[in-house]
């Protein structure tokens, strides 16, 4: 059983930054691609960014240049550095495998609690 625990969210003003963390109970070495997802109230969950075991990254256009995804295999942890935050970035942020989007080779894991990011104007 693998558990995902997100943390680091909070309330910030537009232009602020947050560093989100995703702690995985097991090794992430076996996961080729992991990603960050977010969900705003009343909206579908969307993939924000992902990173492969080889270090390649992808970002949705709206966050490109502002967010940075990374992973620390030794600590079984993934991060999302969010800079220049905008009100439209508000939502609950979750981590999981890319498989949750239907694109990755890995099984989608059980969703964690997520961490709330709120950006005020």
């Amino acid at each position: 059983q693998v558990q995902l625990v997100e943390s680091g969210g909070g309330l910030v003003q537009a232009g602020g930054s947050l560093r989100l963390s995703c702690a995985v109970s097991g090794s992430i070495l076996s996961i080729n691609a992991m990603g960050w997802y977010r969900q705003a109230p009343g909206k579908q969950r969307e993939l924000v960014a992902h990173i492969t075991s080889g270090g390649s990254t992808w970002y949705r256009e709206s966050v490109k240049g502002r967010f940075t995804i990374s992973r620390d295999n030794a600590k079984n942890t993934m991060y999302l550095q969010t800079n220049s935050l905008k009100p439209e970035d508000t939502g609950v942020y979750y981590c999981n495998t890319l498989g949750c989007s239907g694109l990755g080779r890995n099984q989608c894991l059980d969703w964690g609690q997520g961490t709330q990011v709120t950006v005020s104007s």
Side-chain angles (χ1 to χ4, degrees), residues 17 48-49 57-69 80-86 89:
S17 299
V48 177
T57 59
W58 173 91
Y59 302 89
R60 68 182 300 107
E61 188 65 27
S62 62
V63 308
K64 193 172 182 63
R66 300 187 296 116
F67 290 10
T68 303
I69 188 171
L80 185 69
Q81 178 67 46
T82 66
N83 298 326
S84 302
L85 284 163
K86 304 175 180 179
D89 294 318

Side-chain angles (χ1 to χ4, degrees), residues 25-36:
S25 63
S27 175
I28 62 173
L29 286 173
S30 63
I31 303 176
N32 181 58
M34 294 189 66
W36 282 96

